Amino acid sequence: MIGRTRRSRSRAAPPPGGRRSADPSRRPWRFPGRRLSPSWSLRTLAAQVFLLQVIVVLVLIAAAATALVLQGRYDGENSARERSLAVAEAFAHAPGTATALQSPDPTRVLQPSVMQAQAGSGVDFISVLDPRGVRLADTQPQLIGTTAQDVGRAAMGETFTDTFRGKPSDAVRAVVPVMDPSRRVVGVVTAGIEIENVGHLLDQQVPMVLGAAALALALATGGTALVSRRLRRQTHGLGPAEMTRMYEHHDAVLHAVREGVLIVGADGRLLLANDEAHRLLGLPPDAGRRHVTELGLGEEMTRLLVSGEAASDVVCPAGDRLLAVNTRRTAPYGGAQGLVASFRDTTELQALSGRAEMARGRLTLLYEAGVRIGRTLDVRRTAQELAEVAVPRMADVVTVELLDAVLHGEEPTGAVNRMRRTASHGSLPDDPLQPVGDSIQFVVADTPMVAALRRGKAVLVPDLETARDWRAQDPEGARRVLASGIHSLITVPLRARGVVLGMVNFWRGAGAARFDDEDVAVAEELVARAAVAIDNARRYSREHEMAVTLQRSLLPRDLPEQDVLEVAWRYLPAQSGVGGDWFDVIPLPGFRVALVVGDVVGHGLHAAVTMGRLRTAVLNFSSLDLPAEELLGHLDEMVARLDTQADAADGEGSRVTGATCLYAIYDPVGGHCTLARAGHVAPAVVDPAGGVTFPDLPLSPPLGVGGHPFEAGELDLPEGSRLVLFTDGLVEDRRRDIDEGLRILGEAVAHPDLSPEETCRAVMETMLPQHPSDDVALLVARTRLMDPSQVAVWDVPFEAGAVSRVRTEVSRRLVDWGLEEVSFATELILSELLTNAIRYGAPPVRVRILLGRTLVCEVSDGSNTSPRLRRAATTDEGGRGLFLVSQFADRWGTRYVAHGKVIWAEQTLDRAAEPDMSLLIDEMAW
């Protein structure tokens, strides 16, 4: 094994009083994590250098040998070409060659000459060919008569040499034409040396070349081994990566660590001191190689370094510092006799611990700010949370000013010289600052607040007593602030998305240290987090206000005038914002009234817009005077179409499925009420005596589900009954289920003397918290019946002669009612409607006259065919009846009932109908 000679075991004996340690010359270098072995392993630098040098030598020798071989081969081929050309030319130009080629038997004449010439020339073959390339004589007689290849150029008079590849053998040859005295080619002579015989000369040189290469390799390897052995001893068998890491560690210890290091030799002289040791001990620049007693390190520290004894965390004074000293001898660790000492500044450790505690407190403050600020989407509350978080750990008093636009949820403008104090919180017994709600103006250009707004970053005023610019805006207010003990200020602009929202001021009073630059950084971070929360609250306030405005515009503002129901209503939005609950009161022909309550699942703009769509659709369908169940059927189809469009919008739309609706039609003539509901809770019915029932009405699925028919229920309501329609937010809550809610609702409305308005108030006070979790819509209607004296009904025989009799009776009733001024128009309307019913309808035919705010004339028959208004031609004998009705009546229309239809016409009583007489004359001129 190649390596250093092992020393005697006696050299490894432990020193007296010390522990056993290996001989330093035998011990490998100790390195973190592994023990290195001084061997010829490829991991060592010496082995890698040796291998690299050997490879380089091998490459150089191989290249040289290859060059010699190639040069020898090249020289051999050139020599063969020259010799072949000389022989071929000599034979071709020899006297008698041309004559022999022209003789009758050239082969007999030339064959002996060819054999003789080949034997004495040193070439491998000579051939004589005729101009066509056929061999006439050859050193190989068996080839005579065969045709040579690639000699066409010689037949044309050209002499050349080449390397021939083919049969009979590969050779370097020369081809020379034979010419007669007239310069005509009469034959060709070829001579050459075979390729294998050309390399024979080279084979003789190869052993000498290889021998020289082997000798050079041996000399180079020996020299390289000696150099590598020396290098291995110098590097202790370390590899390149290990040496690099060792140097990096050594450099880090000396220059990067915050700990002083001294290395003292066995003679007590300083061998090495890092930068931190120079700083902590105050060493002179020329301290190297000086004795430690000459460095002025103090008695205790000098004693430790001179004695060479081990010490752990011994505190020694060094000027105005207290250093923790650790010493260890270097001999047990593979080094020469000496001492290593390290120093730590305990004074700085204490200061660092204090700073770490302060940093931890600031991080805790920022963490609590992230948790506590912005818990509500209210601008004022968020500003107050910012002030409360910062007091008292950051400041003694914190004030927050915001722009009026921000307080109203609007986009802040560029004008920032006027703000409103929105929040203030402090720990001082007497707060001298302006109270919340005051207007704060920034009119002096050089105040800290204006400077902060102009720069867009915090401004620090460490001492307010000496800050004259701060006093310039309000000298009296500044005097009161200073008198209260406040002495330091940080003012920070409240910015979000690059826009100023307001200003935050941090004040410190007596007993607190002045603000410094680190406090400025914490204040800016704190305000930046609060700015995001305030801006989110502002944007939410704006969107909430938009949604509320939209919802208010979609809900009915005033209930329509009608005489048959006394109506009161309430709407209470959810705590989370606007929703999709709605109600409506819709007058219908014949003094009937439709009551509607609906609920759209969800909250926000989508719910409000969907509610507006459904309410508009119900109003439109109600104008068609449809039965309750048919109206819900049309509404269900519309919602299904909306959902289909939302599905086709690639996620840009939202489905409506889940909306519920209750539609009720009240007829005051008989107190009859028809109700149909789509997934909605049943109403409460309160009779005149105060009894409360929840009628069992047919229940259909919510709107948009489809596939199910809608059914209607019938109720007969005595006069004075109350019909209570509501959404599920009234009776459902996290604190109770729907059954409990219905029971409480029944108790709240079970008072016989309550008006609708009083009923609404009692329900709200009894059942709802201040901020409900869901929207609530409540509609209370107390019924009235029409006086029988204001209703007249006639059953009409199905014959044309009955028209005049009924017209006479109606005219007599109008006189009894004191309506002579509308008698003519009513008789005309009745005559036309009754004539159409008898002529085109089916029995039974009935006439009903209703007197209220208006006069309503109704004609019903058993046919489902609806008449239509058209303009008759001059040649038509009929077709003008409905036109006359439309001219004399304010409104008219058709509604379908279970067995037939009803055609009605309504006239306003406070003014007589004034039809266009010219049109009437034109229509009647037939």
Side-chain angles (χ1 to χ4, degrees):
M1 175 178 178
I2 300 175
R4 289 173 287 185
T5 306
R6 294 184 178 271
R7 305 292 179 91
S8 171
R9 288 184 178 269
S10 62
R11 296 289 299 275
R19 63 178 182 178
R20 179 182 178 91
S21 62
D23 190 330
S25 63
R26 292 182 58 244
R27 290 178 58 86
W29 185 275
R30 288 187 178 270
F31 199 79
R34 65 177 289 194
R35 177 187 177 99
L36 300 175
S37 175
S39 65
W40 281 99
S41 171
L42 285 179
R43 296 181 180 179
T44 64
L45 179 63
Q48 293 179 13
V49 171
F50 172 75
L51 180 61
L52 178 62
Q53 290 180 343
V54 170
I55 292 174
V56 171
V57 170
L58 285 175
V59 171
L60 293 177
I61 293 175
T66 301
L68 289 176
V69 170
L70 294 177
Q71 184 63 36
R73 181 176 296 277
Y74 176 77
D75 292 343
E77 290 184 356
N78 284 343
S79 176
R81 284 191 179 90
E82 293 175 357
R83 185 183 303 175
S84 300
L85 181 60
V87 173
E89 288 182 340
F91 196 91
H93 298 157
T97 301
T99 305
L101 287 171
Q102 295 175 349
S103 64
D105 189 4
T107 300
R108 183 181 61 80
V109 177
L110 294 173
Q111 182 64 24
S113 301
V114 167
M115 299 300 293
Q116 184 180 2
Q118 188 269 335
S121 62
V123 297
D124 292 332
F125 65 87
I126 299 176
S127 295
V128 181
L129 318 174
D130 63 11
R132 294 173 299 174
V134 178
R135 290 182 176 86
L136 300 178
D138 195 283
T139 52
Q140 297 182 23
Q142 67 272 18
L143 298 178
I144 296 174
T146 61
T147 302
Q149 301 177 7
D150 300 332
V151 295
R153 291 187 293 166
M156 298 176 64
E158 179 183 353
T159 299
F160 65 90
T161 62
D162 64 357
T163 300
F164 174 76
R165 304 288 181 179
K167 293 182 178 181
S169 63
D170 298 340
V172 176
R173 67 178 183 176
V175 183
V176 179
V178 180
M179 301 181 182
D180 61 5
S182 62
R183 307 299 297 172
R184 181 172 61 87
V185 177
V186 296
V188 177
V189 176
T190 65
I193 299 175
E194 294 181 354
I195 295 297
E196 61 181 11
N197 293 330
V198 172
H200 181 67
L201 179 61
L202 181 64
D203 294 340
Q204 298 176 357
Q205 300 176 355
V206 169
M208 182 177 64
V209 172
L210 294 179
L215 178 61
L217 177 61
L219 293 176
T221 303
T224 301
L226 293 176
V227 172
S228 299
R229 182 182 179 88
R230 178 65 177 172
L231 180 62
R232 181 172 62 86
R233 290 177 179 176
Q234 295 294 330
T235 60
H236 296 277
L238 294 174
E242 294 164 335
M243 293 186 65
T244 301
R245 294 209 321 261
M246 182 182 68
Y247 174 78
E248 291 173 349
H249 287 191
H250 177 269
D251 189 65
V253 169
L254 291 182
H255 303 290
V257 298
R258 294 296 305 275
E259 189 168 313
V261 176
L262 291 182
I263 298 181
V264 181
D267 56 356
R269 295 186 178 275
L270 181 63
L271 300 180
L272 184 144
N274 70 344
D275 298 341
E276 189 69 8
H278 275 274
R279 186 182 71 84
L280 295 176
L281 301 176
L283 298 177
D286 59 345
R289 303 302 303 173
R290 294 175 62 178
H291 201 277
V292 294
T293 57
E294 303 173 2
L295 301 178
L297 300 180
E299 181 179 354
E300 179 66 19
M301 189 176 297
T302 301
R303 186 189 64 79
L304 282 176
L305 297 178
V306 171
S307 66
E309 62 187 34
S312 297
D313 291 330
V314 176
V315 179
C316 298
D320 58 350
R321 305 175 186 271
L322 291 177
L323 304 182
V325 183
N326 292 274
T327 59
R328 294 291 186 274
R329 298 187 63 83
T330 59
Y333 302 97
Q337 292 292 335
L339 185 73
V340 176
S342 62
F343 310 90
R344 294 195 313 275
D345 189 349
T346 58
T347 307
E348 291 193 359
L349 288 177
Q350 292 179 354
L352 181 61
S353 176
R355 289 197 298 270
E357 183 65 23
M358 184 179 298
R360 187 181 66 82
R362 288 169 174 168
L363 289 175
T364 303
L365 172 63
L366 294 177
Y367 170 77
E368 291 185 4
V371 173
R372 293 176 56 184
I373 298 176
R375 291 177 296 179
T376 63
L377 291 174
D378 182 83
V379 174
R380 289 178 172 82
R381 181 56 193 161
T382 303
Q384 186 64 31
E385 289 169 350
L386 166 61
E388 292 173 355
V389 165
V391 177
R393 286 184 293 179
M394 179 64 190
D396 294 321
V397 180
V398 175
T399 60
V400 182
E401 291 86 44
L402 297 178
L403 296 171
D404 286 335
V406 176
L407 292 174
H408 294 104
E410 302 171 358
E411 283 290 338
T413 61
V416 295
N417 59 343
R418 181 188 297 271
M419 298 182 185
R420 184 78 55 187
R421 178 146 294 171
T422 308
S424 178
H425 188 68
S427 57
L428 298 179
D430 183 18
D431 187 357
L433 301 174
Q434 290 177 259
V436 173
D438 276 13
S439 176
I440 309 296
Q441 299 185 33
F442 307 111
V443 295
V444 179
D446 55 353
T447 60
M449 291 74 173
V450 176
L453 291 173
R454 184 173 61 252
R455 300 174 189 173
K457 60 181 181 180
V459 171
L460 168 65
V461 184
D463 188 1
L464 292 174
E465 184 70 34
T466 60
R468 301 299 177 187
D469 54 353
W470 170 70
R471 301 185 182 187
Q473 180 167 327
D474 184 8
E476 181 60 26
R479 186 192 62 78
R480 291 196 305 269
V481 169
L482 293 175
S484 69
I486 294 178
H487 58 79
S488 190
L489 165 68
I490 296 178
T491 180
V492 187
L494 194 68
R495 296 167 58 91
R497 299 180 293 111
V499 179
V500 174
L501 305 178
M503 176 72 64
V504 182
N505 298 312
F506 300 87
W507 312 80
R508 279 187 180 174
R514 294 176 180 176
F515 286 118
D516 54 23
D517 292 336
E518 293 185 358
D519 294 319
V520 172
V522 175
E524 287 184 330
E525 177 66 20
L526 187 63
V527 171
R529 297 189 180 192
V532 174
I534 290 176
D535 189 54
N536 289 338
R538 178 195 64 80
R539 296 171 68 181
Y540 170 79
S541 298
R542 182 184 60 183
E543 294 177 1
H544 179 72
E545 185 64 26
M546 291 172 57
V548 169
T549 302
L550 174 63
Q551 186 187 42
R552 288 175 179 172
S553 66
L554 295 176
L555 287 172
R557 298 184 179 180
D558 297 316
L559 297 179
E561 294 183 359
Q562 44 82 33
D563 296 331
V564 299
L565 291 175
E566 182 184 354
V567 179
W569 59 273
R570 291 290 188 276
Y571 175 79
L572 190 62
Q575 182 179 8
S576 58
V578 298
D581 292 10
W582 93 95
F583 63 91
D584 218 336
V585 178
I586 307 171
L588 298 177
F591 301 115
R592 296 170 302 130
V593 178
L595 302 176
V596 189
V597 173
D599 184 3
V600 176
V601 177
H603 298 89
L605 284 176
H606 172 69
V609 171
T610 303
M611 176 268 291
R613 283 178 163 183
L614 296 181
R615 178 171 179 256
T616 303
V618 170
L619 287 172
N620 292 334
F621 291 144
S622 297
S623 65
L624 301 177
D625 207 356
L626 299 174
E629 65 275 13
E630 292 186 20
L631 185 142
L632 289 184
H634 288 293
L635 196 61
D636 180 70
E637 293 177 0
M638 188 201 77
V639 171
R641 286 196 299 271
L642 292 177
D643 287 345
T644 302
Q645 294 172 3
D647 293 338
D650 296 331
E652 297 181 0
S654 300
R655 295 177 62 87
V656 186
T657 302
T660 64
C661 184
L662 171 64
Y663 188 82
I665 300 176
Y666 175 70
D667 190 347
V669 175
H672 187 70
C673 185
T674 303
L675 303 96
R677 56 182 181 144
H680 204 84
V681 291
V685 178
V686 185
D687 60 30
V692 181
T693 59
F694 294 92
D696 186 13
L697 299 174
L699 177 62
S700 299
L703 299 175
V705 174
H708 298 274
F710 290 90
E711 299 181 26
E714 307 288 340
L715 295 177
D716 290 321
L717 302 177
E719 185 170 10
S721 299
R722 280 171 289 161
L723 192 62
V724 182
L725 288 75
F726 53 90
T727 56
D728 57 0
L730 181 67
V731 294
E732 281 188 304
D733 192 84
R734 293 189 299 267
R735 300 166 298 176
R736 60 173 182 257
D737 58 17
I738 189 170
D739 294 332
E740 178 68 13
L742 292 175
R743 184 188 63 78
I744 298 175
L745 174 62
E747 294 175 355
V749 300
H751 298 281
D753 299 328
L754 292 180
S755 67
E757 182 65 30
E758 293 170 342
T759 303
C760 289
R761 187 181 306 115
V763 169
M764 289 296 177
E765 293 175 354
T766 303
M767 302 197 63
L768 291 180
Q770 184 176 2
H771 299 289
S773 59
D774 195 7
D775 294 14
V776 173
L778 175 65
L779 185 63
V780 180
R782 183 158 61 184
T783 63
R784 297 172 182 166
L785 294 178
M786 291 192 69
D787 192 330
S789 63
Q790 296 178 318
V791 180
V793 181
W794 293 272
D795 291 323
V796 182
F798 198 71
E799 57 185 22
V803 176
S804 61
R805 295 194 301 271
V806 174
R807 187 170 58 218
T808 300
E809 294 179 7
V810 169
S811 178
R812 187 180 302 114
R813 179 58 63 91
L814 293 178
V815 172
D816 295 339
W817 286 344
L819 301 177
E820 294 87 350
E821 68 276 7
V822 298
S823 178
F824 172 76
T826 304
E827 290 181 15
L828 179 62
I829 292 172
L830 180 62
S831 177
E832 294 298 336
L833 296 181
L834 197 54
T835 300
N836 282 339
I838 294 175
R839 179 178 297 180
Y840 303 109
V845 178
R846 173 176 291 185
V847 173
R848 187 170 72 167
I849 304 295
L850 305 175
L851 176 61
R853 291 175 178 267
T854 61
L855 181 65
V856 178
C857 178
E858 297 180 347
V859 176
S860 62
D861 67 85
S863 173
N864 289 324
T865 303
S866 176
R868 60 187 180 88
L869 180 65
R870 67 185 182 90
R871 180 177 291 275
T874 57
T875 57
D876 290 344
E877 295 183 0
R880 297 169 178 81
L882 288 181
F883 178 78
L884 295 177
V885 171
S886 67
Q887 293 299 310
F888 280 92
D890 292 287
R891 295 192 306 156
W892 73 278
T894 304
R895 73 173 179 270
Y896 294 94
V897 293
H899 303 287
K901 65 179 181 295
V902 176
I903 304 177
W904 56 270
E906 183 177 285
Q907 302 174 76
T908 304
L909 297 179
D910 56 356
R911 61 178 180 86
E914 298 179 357
D916 189 343
M917 299 306 298
S918 62
L919 293 176
L920 291 179
I921 294 174
D922 290 341
E923 291 295 329
M924 297 177 65
W926 59 274

